[in-house]
Amino acid sequence: MKPTVTIIDYQQGYQSSIRAILTKIGWAEQYIAPAEQNMQNLSLDKENYGVYLAVSGERAVGFLYVQYYAWNQLCQIHGLAVDVDFQRQGIASALVARAEEFARWKKARGIYVDTPANNTRGRKFYEAIGYQLGYIMPRYYEDELDGVTYQKFFTTLPSSTNLPSP
Ligand SMILES: CC(C)(COP(=O)(O)OP(=O)(O)OC[C@H]1O[C@@H](n2cnc3c(N)ncnc32)[C@H](O)[C@@H]1OP(=O)(O)O)[C@@H](O)C(=O)NCCC(=O)NCCS
């Protein structure tokens, strides 16, 4: 039987789980320490950030954090990862659904996420949950590693808006 997984707001007691998830995924230390710190610090700013954990028993098995930008009324997902032993069980989908709830609560127009162009798993995931490729940013992560942005808007524009002027 699958263990029960619940999505909760970030709680500091789970901080060590963040490290465990990312170490198992194979992230380098230079990315792990900031992720741990970000989760803790940003969770204090509830107006601008949603910081969420997927919890199974005593430990977190997934996390995500999302930021609201007032200037363009968009939200950005910054971090999303699921423990390798818990993948393909809908946990990331549930975390993103929670991020979208946060975005709608902020009355954002939509939500987007950047990921390395070579992150096949991540790209397939976002495509599977209905995100569309927005743009490719050459050399975003490293000189040899482009970034790709996936986005989802909560409303569609009237079709005439997309037509070129006569
Ligand atoms: C990408 C990631 C977050 C997906 O987490 P997850 O909990 O396994 O995702 P879900 O179970 O919600 O997947 C939903 C759908 O996305 C697609 N998908 C997810 N992982 C996939 C993979 N490895 N290959 C192909 N499709 C995939 C599938 O269509 C899946 O539905 P299905 O299992 O019914 O076929 C996880 O693989 C991960 O932590 N990767 C490392 C970190 C990362 O890349 N983060 C995202 C970029 S910021």
Side-chain angles (χ1 to χ4, degrees):
M1 203 174 81
K2 279 188 193 171
T4 306
V5 176
T6 313
I7 308 298
I8 63 167
D9 286 351
Y10 179 82
Q11 293 174 17
Q12 195 177 359
Y14 290 100
Q15 195 175 8
S16 60
S17 301
I18 309 295
R19 172 167 290 275
I21 293 167
L22 294 177
T23 304
K24 253 164 111 179
I25 285 176
W27 279 28
E29 177 60 29
Q30 73 193 84
Y31 299 113
I32 295 178
E36 275 185 311
Q37 279 308 309
N38 283 344
M39 296 286 286
Q40 167 59 22
N41 296 338
L42 302 179
S43 67
L44 304 175
D45 179 359
K46 296 201 182 309
E47 276 302 307
N48 295 302
Y49 291 92
V51 184
Y52 305 110
L53 299 170
V55 170
S56 174
E58 298 293 302
R59 65 191 183 110
V61 295
F63 66 85
L64 169 150
Y65 58 101
V66 56
Q67 179 175 10
Y68 172 66
Y69 297 106
W71 73 273
N72 64 353
Q73 295 171 278
L74 288 177
C75 280
Q76 179 179 13
I77 292 170
H78 284 289
L80 166 64
V82 173
D83 184 305
V84 290
D85 295 331
F86 285 77
Q87 291 179 2
R88 303 304 288 265
Q89 296 178 26
I91 293 174
S93 302
L95 285 163
V96 171
R98 187 67 191 82
E100 291 178 9
E101 266 177 42
F102 170 84
R104 289 176 194 275
W105 170 67
K106 295 301 298 181
K107 300 197 178 351
R109 296 183 297 123
I111 189 163
Y112 69 96
V113 60
D114 298 319
T115 198
N118 64 1
N119 182 3
T120 309
R121 272 188 304 180
R123 295 183 65 165
K124 284 190 183 302
F125 166 71
Y126 285 112
E127 286 162 12
I129 63 166
Y131 280 56
Q132 292 184 331
L133 181 62
Y135 59 90
I136 297 171
M137 193 185 292
R139 303 173 64 174
Y140 184 55
Y141 289 96
E142 296 168 16
D143 277 345
E144 304 299 326
L145 184 52
D146 297 348
V148 289
T149 298
Y150 283 89
Q151 53 186 197
K152 176 175 175 177
F153 287 94
F154 299 139
T155 55
T156 48
L157 293 175
S159 56
S160 58
T161 312
N162 293 324
L163 294 176
S165 310

